[in-house]
Each structure stands twice: as structure tokens, then as C-alpha cells.
Amino acid sequence: MSELDAKKKQEIKRMVAILEQIDLPGILVLSRDANTLLIRQQEAEKQMEKAG
């Protein structure tokens, strides 16, 4: 496992610990925001492929 993968797994564990402490509406808002960020990342990757 690369150092980046290890850091990613550690950050995921930290985020899960935070999510366990908040209520459902907060989790739903964060989930929506995460989905938005994922879509933007995918769109940016597509633009980079077209430009490259």
C-alpha cells in the first residue's frame, strides 16, 4: 500500500468517527456535498483528458 493510500484510509477512519457523532440531517448534508465534489472531480478529469 502506498503512503497516499495509507493517508487516505486514515482520513476515512477520522471522517467516520466524526460522522458517528452527528445526527442524520447532518450526515445527509455531508453526503450531498460529497457527491457534488465527486461529480466536480470527475468533470475536471474529463476536461483534463480532452485538453491533453
Side-chain angles (χ1 to χ4, degrees):
M1 180 182 324
S2 73
E3 183 179 341
L4 184 58
D5 287 337
K7 286 182 180 181
K8 183 177 176 181
K9 285 188 182 286
Q10 183 178 1
E11 187 63 20
I12 290 170
K13 287 180 183 178
R14 187 182 75 77
M15 292 173 72
V16 168
I18 292 169
L19 288 171
E20 289 175 338
Q21 297 175 43
I22 63 175
D23 59 1
L24 183 58
I27 291 171
L28 295 175
V29 168
L30 290 172
S31 178
R32 182 199 65 209
D33 291 348
N35 286 332
T36 300
L37 289 171
L38 180 60
I39 290 168
R40 287 184 181 172
Q41 178 181 338
Q42 291 170 343
E43 289 174 350
E45 289 171 354
K46 286 179 185 177
Q47 291 296 327
M48 292 294 288
E49 289 174 3
K50 287 180 183 178

